[in-house]
Amino acid sequence: MTGNEGSVLARMRGFAGRTELYRDRIRMVRDGVAAAMAEVLGTFRAEAETVVRLEQLSAFEIYRPMFLPPLLVLHYAGSRPLTGHYWRDAFAENVHMCGFFDQRDVEHFAEVLEREMRSAPGRPDPAAPPAPGAPNDTGAE
């Protein structure tokens, strides 16, 4: 998969690289300043590229520390949980380190990703009524 197949729905650039959202996948490329510094200094091994199929994605979150850039964290079966060590987490295969100042592209990316996750094939529509015979998990009896 080269990343050239299909059009990019959303893209964000960060301190460690860029992340692109396609209709069927997310592609994280660590080609930013922080990734290059980590590689040169040998402090952290930054995964060069990660591709996650949208149907594998179970959730995502934006971790916002007080003074450091936010982290977009993708959750899927087998993904690494955050350890609490910011710099180690920032270079994990399922994490995108955002930029320091302007996070508008992160907010836009999160909105588009959420929309795509809701409409992905095989995912139940949260607004759809439950199927007949399905358990009622609303707590109402």
Side-chain angles (χ1 to χ4, degrees):
M1 206 173 297
T2 63
N4 295 332
E5 304 136 5
S7 61
V8 176
L9 302 176
R11 177 180 289 124
M12 62 179 168
R13 195 108 182 101
F15 193 53
R18 67 186 188 280
T19 297
E20 300 165 337
L21 174 62
Y22 296 86
R23 201 111 357 250
D24 62 341
R25 67 192 179 282
I26 296 174
R27 180 175 177 241
M28 294 179 163
V29 181
R30 284 151 197 94
D31 60 355
V33 173
M37 287 183 347
E39 288 292 323
V40 168
L41 297 174
T43 30
F44 301 104
R45 182 179 170 273
E47 293 292 327
E49 183 174 330
T50 303
V51 177
V52 179
R53 307 239 4 123
L54 223 49
E55 67 263 8
Q56 294 175 312
L57 198 61
S58 56
F60 72 92
E61 66 178 302
I62 300 175
Y63 170 68
R64 297 179 191 275
M66 191 170 296
F67 298 110
L68 296 168
L71 302 176
L72 172 75
V73 184
L74 303 179
H75 298 285
Y76 51 88
S79 66
R80 207 178 93 180
L82 295 180
T83 65
H85 185 278
Y86 179 85
W87 292 106
R88 192 172 314 282
D89 290 340
F91 296 109
E93 68 278 354
N94 60 320
V95 176
H96 169 89
M97 185 191 321
C98 304
F100 271 97
F101 303 110
D102 187 4
Q103 271 89 48
R104 287 178 294 185
D105 60 343
V106 177
E107 299 302 326
H108 173 72
F109 190 93
E111 288 173 16
V112 176
L113 176 55
E114 186 171 351
R115 184 181 69 227
E116 289 303 308
M117 285 179 68
R118 289 177 188 272
S119 67
R123 289 194 185 268
D125 180 359
N136 183 354
D137 63 353
T138 62
E141 304 262 334

